């Protein structure tokens, strides 16, 4: 949905993308703005309030915005992957401890409370003083189907210290124990990001061993070969624009799915520039595209008297491209900081 802005409803776009990365609150708003005609923040805030969407830990153990329906379908299937992540990331710090008591403590606490995770860590520190509190809290978080609670009055829906609670408490319906079949998840992935390889789908989801699932689906799919002779799978009726189709400048938010949805990311960013999109502490910076490829990064800084959009191209832009980037950047700056004036767009050397 980056070639032409859509007239779809925000909920439909969120489902079309099989969720949107939401490590911090603002990116889904920018991601919807860049894909939709006449999108306003109130449109997404209304979905949060109506509990039609949730912000929760899902694919790759990272926070996503998903429709409630998709969350309830996807979360059980992702449970094993999330549990494996505990051992991979904090296993040594847990020292072989049985995590069942930690998970039970989390379930009991978040059944009774909607609270920031820092508050839960304080409870764990008092109850399990001999254990690494952050590792224990992480284990509980990955094993429990938690959702974040919107912050009333916050512009982007959540404060930086938003509360968590159990999904079944927040939604007033149980998270199913039966997992969605992997075929459905792969088809949803291809609908959003095909043509793709099994490795691409694994990179997006965090799931393992998806090739047998692709093979099972092969009769329902079409296949292609890329420049490296790798086999790509896609849905038969999926849109596959001609390579000469003009691709307008688009601004992608931090962590946008298009930057993270494939193992081979050269389809959206050159290998020599990938390191410029990710910081040392693994923050994926917002990027802008030129001719369909991420060509630089952006950031907005707002003060009471001025809002500035700083653009950092990876390489020098030609005049027509630079003018298009500035024009689209001005629209982005107005969307993000409508109440600040003046608004300034400037280039910065990488």
């Amino acid at each position: 949905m980056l070639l032409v802005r859509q007239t779809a409803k925000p909920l439909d776009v969120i489902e079309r993308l099989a969720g949107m990365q939401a490590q911090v609150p603002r990116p889904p708003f920018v991601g919807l703005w860049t894909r939709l005609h006449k999108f306003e923040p109130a449109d997404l805030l209304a979905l949060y309030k109506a509990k039609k969407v949730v912000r929760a830990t899902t694919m790759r153990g990272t926070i996503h915005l998903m429709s409630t329906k998709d969350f309830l379908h996807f979360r059980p299937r992702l449970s094993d992957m999330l549990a494996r992540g505990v051992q991979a990331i904090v296993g040594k710090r847990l020292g072989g401890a049985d995590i069942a008591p930690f998970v039970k403590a989390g379930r009991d606490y978040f059944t009774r409370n909607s609270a920031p995770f820092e508050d839960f860590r304080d409870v764990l520190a008092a109850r399990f003083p001999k254990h690494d509190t952050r590792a224990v809290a992480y284990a509980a978080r990955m094993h429990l189907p938690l959702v974040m609670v919107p912050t009333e009055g916050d512009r982007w829906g959540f404060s930086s210290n938003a509360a968590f609670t159990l999904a079944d408490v927040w939604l007033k319906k149980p998270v199913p124990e039966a997992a969605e079949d992997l075929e459905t998840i792969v088809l949803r992935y291809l609908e959003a990001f095909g043509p793709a390889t099994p490795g691409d789908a694994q990179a997006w989801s965090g799931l393992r061993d998806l090739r047998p699932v692709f093979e099972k689906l092969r009769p329902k799919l079409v296949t292609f070969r890329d420049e490296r002779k790798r086999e790509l799978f896609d849905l038969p009726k999926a849109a596959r624009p001609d390579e000469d189709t003009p691709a307008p400048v688009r601004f992608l938010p931090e962590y946008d799915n298009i930057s993270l949805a494939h193992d081979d990311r050269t389809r959206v960013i050159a290998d020599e520039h990938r390191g410029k999109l990710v910081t040392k502490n693994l923050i994926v910076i917002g990027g802008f595209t030129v001719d369909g490829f991420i060509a630089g990064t952006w950031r907005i800084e707002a003060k009471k008297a001025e809002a500035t959009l700083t653009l950092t191209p990876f390489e020098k832009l030609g005049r027509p491209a630079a003018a298009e980037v500035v024009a689209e950047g001005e629209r982005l700056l107005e969307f993000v900081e409508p109440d600040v004036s003046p608004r300034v767009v400037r280039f910065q050397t990488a």
Side-chain angles (χ1 to χ4, degrees):
M1 286 177 281
L2 295 172
L3 291 179
V4 179
R5 278 189 164 95
Q6 308 293 300
T7 56
K9 296 179 180 179
L11 183 61
D12 294 335
V13 174
I14 294 165
E15 291 190 338
R16 174 72 172 77
L17 294 170
M20 302 179 73
Q21 193 87 19
Q23 291 291 89
V24 290
R26 189 180 73 182
F29 291 84
V30 176
L32 289 168
W33 170 84
T34 208
R35 291 174 169 89
L36 285 171
H37 283 293
K38 300 179 180 179
F39 171 73
E40 296 293 339
D43 300 337
L44 180 51
L45 292 174
L47 294 177
Y48 283 133
K49 187 174 182 178
K51 301 184 181 180
K52 292 184 178 180
V53 297
V54 294
R55 189 171 166 226
T57 300
T58 55
M59 283 76 77
R60 303 186 305 281
T62 57
I63 296 174
H64 278 70
L65 165 68
M66 301 189 78
S67 74
T68 298
K69 180 176 71 174
D70 277 352
F71 173 76
L72 292 174
H73 286 165
F74 278 49
R75 182 57 177 75
R77 172 53 71 181
L78 300 172
S79 294
D80 289 345
M81 176 270 296
L82 295 173
R84 286 197 308 271
V86 172
Q87 293 304 315
I89 295 173
V90 298
K92 290 183 179 179
R93 291 160 58 188
L94 291 171
D98 179 9
I99 65 172
F102 312 146
V103 176
K104 183 179 185 304
R107 183 174 296 280
D108 293 343
Y109 181 80
F110 287 111
T111 295
R112 300 190 307 269
N113 302 281
S114 294
F117 230 74
E118 287 81 354
D119 294 4
F120 176 52
R121 290 193 193 107
D122 292 341
V123 171
L124 291 175
R127 186 168 174 183
F128 304 103
K130 294 183 180 180
H131 293 281
D132 183 321
T133 299
R134 287 188 171 271
V136 168
Y138 184 80
R141 178 172 171 174
M142 291 298 106
H143 279 81
L144 293 170
L146 300 173
V147 299
M148 300 182 77
V149 178
T151 305
E152 188 67 32
D154 193 278
R155 184 179 179 191
W156 304 116
F158 298 85
S159 71
S160 59
N161 195 32
F164 287 77
T165 192
L166 280 174
D168 50 5
V169 173
W170 177 249
L171 299 172
K172 294 183 171 57
K173 60 177 68 176
V175 177
E177 293 185 7
E180 184 83 353
D181 63 271
L182 283 175
E183 289 88 348
T184 298
I185 291 179
V186 166
L187 291 172
R188 291 292 304 281
Y189 168 75
L190 290 175
E191 181 183 9
F193 301 110
T197 67
D200 290 329
Q202 290 170 184
W204 165 78
S205 64
L207 297 168
R208 295 177 178 177
D209 303 322
L210 290 182
R211 178 163 289 281
V213 182
F214 276 75
E215 291 298 333
K216 185 176 180 179
L217 288 169
R218 183 181 288 275
K220 300 180 181 179
L221 304 175
V222 293
T223 60
F224 305 90
R225 294 284 175 179
D226 67 8
E227 295 85 348
R228 293 161 57 185
K229 307 302 180 184
R230 297 176 310 163
E231 187 174 38
L232 306 176
F233 295 80
D234 205 2
L235 304 181
K237 296 183 179 180
R240 287 180 290 274
D242 186 89
E243 64 183 46
D244 295 327
T245 302
V249 167
R250 290 288 185 256
F251 278 77
L252 305 175
E254 302 94 324
Y255 307 100
D256 191 82
N257 297 51
I258 204 69
S259 305
L260 301 169
H262 302 93
D263 182 47
D264 175 17
R265 297 178 187 171
T266 58
R267 64 179 66 198
V268 293
I269 185 169
D271 276 339
E272 62 265 30
H273 299 319
R274 277 184 62 175
K276 303 170 186 175
L277 199 66
V278 183
T279 68
K280 292 181 180 179
N281 54 348
L282 301 182
I283 294 173
V284 181
I285 306 168
F288 61 85
T289 66
V290 174
D291 195 26
F293 288 87
I294 299 173
T297 61
W298 63 270
R299 73 175 188 274
I300 290 176
E301 296 175 302
K303 301 178 181 178
K304 289 184 179 180
E306 183 177 281
T308 303
L309 168 63
T310 301
L311 306 167
T312 308
F314 299 146
E315 299 175 352
K316 187 175 181 179
L317 301 175
R319 285 188 178 180
E324 188 180 356
V325 169
V326 169
E328 184 71 358
E330 289 174 342
R331 289 188 283 270
L332 170 67
L333 193 51
E334 182 179 7
F335 171 77
V336 173
E337 297 293 347
D339 300 325
V340 180
S341 181
R343 294 186 289 267
V344 179
V345 178
R346 69 181 185 92
F347 283 97
Q348 173 179 277
T349 303

